[in-house]
Every structure is written in structure tokens, then in C-alpha cells.
Amino acid sequence: MDAHIDEHPGERIHNAWIQAVDLHAIPLAGLPQRLWLDLVLSPGDDEPRIHLQTDHRTIIEMTIAEARSAGMHLIGLAALAVMETPPT
């Protein structure tokens, strides 16, 4: 894990693999927002959770299975969108 968010070993929140994706379809004050993707392991969790958050918005927390399913659906939708996009 890359970082610890607490100094007490029994209460540590572990963060790893923080990534950001610019969202040009949703500009905020003329600038793209970012989608932040984060892997978090909190005290008492059986497995890490995946957090999704846009700039200054509520965090969406997903299990590994939920994130895997959502990721597969996103890949499928992106592939369909490419097929439906007329050539320029």
C-alpha cells in the first residue's frame, strides 16, 4: 500500500493506486473535471474497496466484484459507442 491515513496502527486506512481521468464531457468553469479512482483498505474491511469520486463530489464505494462488473460494462459501452459513431 502506498499511504497510511492514520497514525494508530489498528486504525490505519491504507490507500494505493490513486488514478485520475479527465472528464472533458462535463466541464466545470471551462475546465474538465477529474474522475478519481482509489483503492482503500479500512480497519475491519475483509477486502479493499474501490472508491470513485469526481472533483469535490460524494465518493462511490464499490466492492471488488462490483468494480469488476462496472468495469466490464464500461468497456462494453465504450466498444458499442465506437461502433455507433459515424466516420468523420
Side-chain angles (χ1 to χ4, degrees):
M1 295 296 178
D2 291 338
H4 298 272
I5 303 180
D6 198 330
E7 295 302 319
H8 305 288
E11 299 176 7
R12 283 189 177 153
I13 298 172
H14 301 274
N15 277 64
W17 204 76
I18 299 171
Q19 300 292 316
V21 176
D22 287 336
L23 301 175
H24 295 281
I26 311 170
L28 181 64
L31 300 172
Q33 289 193 69
R34 285 190 173 206
L35 175 63
W36 297 94
L37 305 120
D38 192 4
L39 183 62
V40 177
L41 180 62
S42 297
D45 285 350
D46 293 333
E47 65 182 32
R49 303 293 177 150
I50 292 84
H51 288 181
L52 305 177
Q53 180 180 9
T54 55
D55 292 333
H56 309 293
R57 305 276 171 126
T58 303
I59 292 175
I60 296 170
E61 184 176 294
M62 294 189 291
T63 64
I64 295 169
E66 292 166 342
R68 191 175 280 151
S69 178
M72 295 303 291
H73 287 298
L74 282 171
I75 290 168
L77 288 170
L80 182 60
V82 167
M83 292 184 338
E84 296 293 326
T85 302
T88 55

